[in-house]
Amino acid sequence: MSCLKNRMAVAPPSCCLVAFPPRAKDGLVVFGKNSARPRDEVQEVVYFPAADHEPQSKVQCTYISIDQVPRSHAIVISRPAWLWGAEMGANEHGVCIANEAINAREPAAETEALLGMDLVRLGLERGSTAKEALDIIVALLEEHGQGGNYYEDADSCHSFQSAYLIVDRDEAWVLETVGRYWAAEKTTEGVKCICNQLSLTTKIDAEHRELRSYAQSQGWWTGEDEFNFSEVFSPADEHLDCCAAKDSLEKQEESITVQTMIDILRDKASGVCIDSESFLTTASIVSVLPQNRSAPCIHYFTGTPDPSRSIFKPFIFVGDIKLVPKAQSPCFGDDDPAKKEARFQEKPDRRHELYKAHEWARAVIANDQEQGRQLRKTMLELEKQGLAAMEEILTSSEPLDPTEVGDLFYDCVDTEIKFLK
């Protein structure tokens, strides 16, 4: 099945970032993403426990079903509520993945296949390291291809190519894809950022075996010059400008902390936090991955739009996680218009309880200066308490008590809703 292509589909201006020690503080790897999406789209934060699957079983992704694996890892993801995959998330092994929609010289496929967001979730469910997740994503990409509508829109098809930032406690991989072709670069130091355009140049650490011959067959590369991925595959009219988030990260004079990353994601003046006519930062994540393996990874999700008016709430993987229905959208089952063959003929109300409570707060902050200032101050105080408690866990010599953090995200969401009400 194909969708009616919107030829002028503009890639939403999301950004994904990572900082490694010593640029990041205290032996921590710090990862972050702002997810820019259509303004009215709702994102939910969902936890899926590890699971064993029957032999020969299938998994239904957003548009197609593929072979399931014997065991999937526990994951926590932030995703547009209408689709199966994820904009960003983490798994129980300390792997974090986020993706970017990008345009390339080759138009993205309109035929329904795997979405970039499906590949984020599949990488998390199946990869126990960043490199393993990379290998899984590219194998699935080569087997099934990518394509289909990125938006819940019946009127036109917004299809894109995809880039990924795949991170664990030791390394990060930037993976950029065009159709079934791909290239990847490994990083273990400094800072790295991906935005809504190709960024890999001549340093390529892994690639599709036919990438260069394909570029030659299309007349995009002579085979004589040095191979520069983004020069070869970017749209001819695209000006490769620098990413605002990368600028912000590189300007940091002090060590980068969780708070630094949150502040960068909240920055509207620089263009990292999007609030435009078409797009809004509809959800954000910051993760901290200690290189000391005895310390837990901590993942902070907003679950609400506009990080400058949201609270980053912590999640830690333990054996017994309390589910958080208040940050999950209503389920419409097989009646969901996204699952029917003529897609998106209706748009159901996908707002969850946290989103609805937050809508009120955003309106107050926007419209009432004094009340808005007080409200935002209290929200930041709540967040600060959570950050301080997590800092204690990271610096403690005592082992983590799983019973104390199994309902951590649940409690934070509950507290935020009560406070907003």
Side-chain angles (χ1 to χ4, degrees):
M1 186 175 156
S2 297
C3 48
L4 187 64
K5 175 74 174 169
N6 173 357
R7 290 276 159 215
M8 300 302 289
V10 176
S14 299
C15 62
C16 315
L17 314 99
V18 67
F20 284 89
R23 288 294 284 114
K25 193 168 179 258
D26 300 337
L28 305 173
V29 178
V30 186
F31 165 88
K33 178 181 177 180
N34 267 354
S35 170
R37 297 283 302 169
R39 289 193 67 87
D40 61 348
E41 189 178 75
V42 176
Q43 281 202 43
E44 58 179 352
V45 179
V46 196
Y47 166 76
F48 294 96
D52 294 309
H53 306 283
E54 292 294 319
Q56 275 86 54
S57 62
K58 298 276 189 183
V59 55
Q60 177 63 48
C61 303
T62 303
Y63 297 128
I64 64 167
S65 68
I66 65 170
D67 292 337
Q68 183 55 285
V69 287
R71 184 167 175 82
S72 52
H73 306 312
I75 63 168
V76 61
I77 56 175
S78 183
R79 66 175 181 188
W82 63 271
L83 55 75
W84 179 85
E87 274 284 292
M88 51 215 177
N91 72 18
E92 61 184 307
H93 300 290
V95 177
C96 295
I97 310 179
N99 83 316
E100 294 284 336
I102 47 174
N103 284 313
R105 205 165 197 166
E106 179 168 304
E110 297 151 41
T111 307
E112 291 183 348
L114 290 172
L115 284 177
M117 288 85 86
D118 293 340
L119 287 162
V120 171
R121 178 167 171 182
L122 290 162
L124 291 171
E125 287 190 338
R126 301 177 179 196
S128 55
T129 65
K131 178 61 168 67
E132 192 178 10
L134 168 81
D135 293 342
I136 284 157
I137 290 171
V138 299
L140 290 167
L141 178 71
E142 289 180 28
E143 183 180 352
H144 301 286
Q146 58 182 323
N149 206 340
Y150 262 61
Y151 301 157
E152 191 180 14
D153 182 355
D155 297 327
S156 62
C157 185
H158 311 261
S159 59
F160 300 101
Q161 310 289 6
S162 288
Y164 305 83
L165 185 59
I166 309 168
V167 180
D168 63 20
R169 295 176 192 251
D170 301 310
E171 63 188 32
W173 286 85
V174 171
L175 166 64
E176 298 187 341
T177 67
V178 178
R180 292 174 196 243
Y181 297 92
W182 58 273
E185 179 189 358
K186 177 180 162 179
T187 300
T188 55
E189 58 186 25
V191 298
K192 205 80 191 163
C193 175
I194 63 168
C195 297
N196 61 339
Q197 56 188 22
L198 295 172
S199 66
L200 296 181
T201 55
T202 55
K203 182 183 179 295
I204 296 173
D205 297 307
E207 65 187 79
H208 187 287
R209 61 201 166 280
E210 292 164 13
L211 176 71
R212 297 178 194 223
S213 58
Y214 177 69
Q216 276 185 283
S217 74
Q218 298 297 306
W220 297 337
W221 182 53
T222 61
E224 291 165 16
D225 313 330
E226 188 176 18
F227 185 78
N228 181 315
F229 183 81
S230 55
E231 277 183 14
V232 170
F233 284 101
S234 292
D237 58 352
E238 182 161 278
H239 171 60
L240 294 175
D241 52 2
C242 199
C243 163
K246 185 166 182 274
D247 281 354
S248 301
L249 258 190
E250 287 177 345
K251 275 183 198 149
Q252 298 299 323
E253 290 176 9
E254 311 215 337
S255 300
I256 292 157
T257 62
V258 171
Q259 187 64 62
T260 318
M261 191 67 85
I262 289 174
D263 292 343
I264 289 171
L265 296 182
R266 283 184 167 143
D267 186 3
K268 285 187 176 170
S270 70
V272 176
C273 180
I274 299 298
D275 191 349
S276 69
E277 204 174 313
S278 310
F279 299 113
L280 181 66
T281 298
T282 54
S284 305
I285 182 178
V286 170
S287 291
V288 55
L289 315 173
Q291 292 189 314
N292 166 12
R293 278 175 161 64
S294 64
C297 298
I298 304 175
H299 312 284
Y300 299 87
F301 291 89
T302 59
T304 53
D306 190 347
S308 71
R309 296 168 180 181
S310 290
I311 299 175
F312 283 81
K313 299 166 280 292
F315 176 99
I316 297 176
F317 282 95
V318 287
D320 190 15
I321 295 282
K322 188 170 183 180
L323 299 178
V324 188
K326 290 174 182 176
Q328 280 177 243
S329 295
C331 179
F332 301 98
D334 292 337
D335 291 331
D336 195 315
K339 291 183 178 160
K340 293 181 177 174
E341 278 300 300
R343 308 267 184 216
F344 315 129
Q345 296 304 304
E346 299 166 52
K347 253 192 182 179
D349 184 357
R350 300 189 188 276
R351 294 173 303 158
H352 44 74
E353 208 175 320
L354 174 63
Y355 187 98
K356 287 177 180 174
H358 184 261
E359 268 185 321
W360 170 83
R362 273 197 310 160
V364 170
I365 291 169
N367 299 324
D368 184 326
Q369 275 195 323
E370 188 45 44
Q371 196 189 354
R373 204 167 24 243
Q374 284 304 321
L375 182 60
R376 193 163 178 276
K377 189 180 167 191
T378 317
M379 287 169 82
L380 290 175
E381 275 303 315
L382 272 178
E383 180 181 275
K384 207 170 167 184
Q385 288 168 22
L387 287 169
M390 295 306 101
E391 184 66 26
E392 272 182 42
I393 286 174
L394 286 176
T395 53
S396 170
S397 52
E398 298 295 312
L400 182 70
D401 179 355
T403 59
E404 284 188 7
V405 296
D407 50 5
L408 176 65
F409 190 70
Y410 179 96
D411 287 345
C412 291
V413 168
D414 208 44
T415 303
E416 181 175 346
I417 290 171
K418 282 177 183 158
F419 156 66
L420 293 175
K421 283 185 172 176

